[in-house]
CSV table of all heavy atoms in Angstrom, one decimal:
chain,number,residue,atom,x,y,z
K,202,THR,N,3.3,22.8,-12.7
K,202,THR,CA,2.6,21.5,-12.4
K,202,THR,C,1.1,22.0,-11.9
K,202,THR,O,1.0,22.9,-11.2
K,202,THR,CB,3.3,20.7,-11.4
K,202,THR,OG1,2.4,19.6,-10.9
K,202,THR,CG2,3.6,21.5,-10.1
K,204,LEU,N,-0.4,19.8,-10.1
K,204,LEU,CA,-0.3,19.0,-9.0
K,204,LEU,C,0.5,19.7,-7.9
K,204,LEU,O,1.5,19.3,-7.4
K,204,LEU,CB,0.2,17.6,-9.2
K,204,LEU,CG,-0.6,16.6,-10.1
K,204,LEU,CD1,0.1,15.3,-10.3
K,204,LEU,CD2,-2.0,16.4,-9.3
K,211,GLN,N,13.2,14.6,-7.2
K,211,GLN,CA,14.4,14.5,-6.4
K,211,GLN,C,15.8,14.5,-7.3
K,211,GLN,O,16.7,15.2,-7.0
K,211,GLN,CB,14.4,13.2,-5.6
K,211,GLN,CG,13.3,13.1,-4.6
K,211,GLN,CD,13.4,14.2,-3.4
K,211,GLN,OE1,12.7,15.1,-3.5
K,211,GLN,NE2,14.1,13.7,-2.4
K,221,PHE,N,14.8,8.4,-19.8
K,221,PHE,CA,15.1,9.0,-18.5
K,221,PHE,C,14.7,8.2,-17.3
K,221,PHE,O,13.7,7.4,-17.4
K,221,PHE,CB,14.2,10.4,-18.5
K,221,PHE,CG,14.7,11.5,-19.5
K,221,PHE,CD1,14.1,11.3,-20.7
K,221,PHE,CD2,15.5,12.4,-19.0
K,221,PHE,CE1,14.5,12.3,-21.7
K,221,PHE,CE2,15.9,13.4,-19.9
K,221,PHE,CZ,15.4,13.4,-21.3
K,225,ILE,N,11.2,10.6,-7.7
K,225,ILE,CA,10.4,11.6,-7.2
K,225,ILE,C,10.0,11.1,-5.8
K,225,ILE,O,10.0,9.9,-5.3
K,225,ILE,CB,9.0,11.8,-7.9
K,225,ILE,CG1,8.2,10.6,-7.9
K,225,ILE,CG2,9.4,12.2,-9.4
K,225,ILE,CD1,6.7,10.8,-8.4
K,237,HIS,N,-8.6,10.6,-0.2
K,237,HIS,CA,-8.4,9.4,-1.2
K,237,HIS,C,-7.4,8.5,-0.5
K,237,HIS,O,-6.2,8.3,-0.9
K,237,HIS,CB,-7.8,9.8,-2.6
K,237,HIS,CG,-8.0,8.7,-3.7
K,237,HIS,ND1,-7.0,7.9,-3.9
K,237,HIS,CD2,-9.0,8.5,-4.5
K,237,HIS,CE1,-7.3,7.2,-4.9
K,237,HIS,NE2,-8.6,7.5,-5.3
K,238,PHE,N,-7.7,7.7,0.4
K,238,PHE,CA,-8.9,7.5,1.2
K,238,PHE,C,-8.6,7.8,2.7
K,238,PHE,O,-7.5,7.4,3.2
K,238,PHE,CB,-9.5,6.2,0.9
K,238,PHE,CG,-9.8,5.9,-0.5
K,238,PHE,CD1,-9.0,5.3,-1.2
K,238,PHE,CD2,-11.1,6.2,-1.0
K,238,PHE,CE1,-9.4,5.0,-2.5
K,238,PHE,CE2,-11.4,5.9,-2.3
K,238,PHE,CZ,-10.5,5.4,-3.1
K,241,ASN,N,-6.6,5.5,4.9
K,241,ASN,CA,-6.0,4.5,4.0
K,241,ASN,C,-5.5,5.2,2.8
K,241,ASN,O,-6.2,5.0,1.6
K,241,ASN,CB,-6.8,3.2,3.7
K,241,ASN,CG,-6.0,2.1,2.9
K,241,ASN,OD1,-4.9,2.0,3.1
K,241,ASN,ND2,-6.9,1.4,2.1
K,256,LEU,N,6.6,15.2,-16.3
K,256,LEU,CA,8.0,14.8,-16.4
K,256,LEU,C,8.4,14.8,-17.9
K,256,LEU,O,9.4,15.2,-18.4
K,256,LEU,CB,8.3,13.5,-15.6
K,256,LEU,CG,8.2,13.6,-14.1
K,256,LEU,CD1,8.4,12.2,-13.7
K,256,LEU,CD2,9.2,14.6,-13.6
K,257,SER,N,7.5,14.3,-18.7
K,257,SER,CA,7.7,14.1,-20.1
K,257,SER,C,7.9,15.6,-20.7
K,257,SER,O,8.7,15.8,-21.6
K,257,SER,CB,6.5,13.6,-20.9
K,257,SER,OG,6.5,12.2,-20.3
K,268,LYS,N,-3.1,12.4,-25.9
K,268,LYS,CA,-3.9,12.0,-27.2
K,268,LYS,C,-4.6,10.6,-26.8
K,268,LYS,O,-5.7,10.4,-27.1
K,268,LYS,CB,-2.9,12.0,-28.2
K,268,LYS,CG,-3.6,11.7,-29.7
K,268,LYS,CD,-2.5,12.0,-30.7
K,268,LYS,CE,-3.1,11.6,-32.1
K,268,LYS,NZ,-1.9,11.6,-33.1
K,272,ASN,N,-2.5,0.2,-22.7
K,272,ASN,CA,-1.7,-0.7,-21.8
K,272,ASN,C,-1.5,-0.1,-20.5
K,272,ASN,O,-0.4,-0.3,-19.9
K,272,ASN,CB,-0.5,-1.2,-22.5
K,272,ASN,CG,-0.6,-2.0,-23.8
K,272,ASN,OD1,-1.6,-2.8,-23.8
K,272,ASN,ND2,0.2,-1.8,-24.7
K,279,ILE,N,0.1,2.6,-4.2
K,279,ILE,CA,1.1,3.5,-3.8
K,279,ILE,C,0.5,4.3,-2.6
K,279,ILE,O,-0.3,5.1,-2.7
K,279,ILE,CB,1.5,4.4,-4.9
K,279,ILE,CG1,2.0,3.6,-6.2
K,279,ILE,CG2,2.6,5.3,-4.5
K,279,ILE,CD1,2.3,4.5,-7.4
K,287,LEU,N,9.4,7.1,-5.5
K,287,LEU,CA,9.1,6.4,-6.6
K,287,LEU,C,10.1,6.6,-7.7
K,287,LEU,O,10.8,7.6,-7.8
K,287,LEU,CB,7.7,6.8,-7.2
K,287,LEU,CG,6.6,6.7,-6.2
K,287,LEU,CD1,5.3,7.3,-6.9
K,287,LEU,CD2,6.4,5.2,-5.8
K,299,GLU,N,3.9,14.4,-32.5
K,299,GLU,CA,3.7,13.8,-31.2
K,299,GLU,C,4.9,13.2,-30.5
K,299,GLU,O,6.0,13.0,-31.0
K,299,GLU,CB,2.5,12.6,-31.3
K,299,GLU,CG,3.0,11.6,-32.2
K,299,GLU,CD,1.9,10.5,-32.5
K,299,GLU,OE1,0.6,10.8,-32.3
K,299,GLU,OE2,2.2,9.4,-32.7
K,310,GLU,N,11.5,-3.0,-5.5
K,310,GLU,CA,11.5,-4.0,-6.6
K,310,GLU,C,10.0,-4.1,-7.1
K,310,GLU,O,9.8,-4.9,-8.0
K,310,GLU,CB,12.0,-5.3,-6.2
K,310,GLU,CG,13.4,-5.3,-5.6
K,310,GLU,CD,14.4,-5.1,-6.7
K,310,GLU,OE1,14.3,-5.6,-7.8
K,310,GLU,OE2,15.2,-4.2,-6.5
K,317,SER,N,1.7,3.1,-21.7
K,317,SER,CA,2.2,3.7,-23.0
K,317,SER,C,1.3,4.9,-23.3
K,317,SER,O,0.0,4.6,-23.3
K,317,SER,CB,2.2,2.7,-24.1
K,317,SER,OG,3.1,1.7,-23.9
Side-chain angles (χ1 to χ4, degrees):
T202 174
L204 295 174
Q211 302 289 98
F221 291 84
I225 67 166
H237 198 269
F238 297 95
N241 186 25
L256 292 175
S257 298
K268 192 173 166 184
N272 299 319
I279 301 171
L287 304 176
E299 65 183 21
E310 300 297 314
S317 298

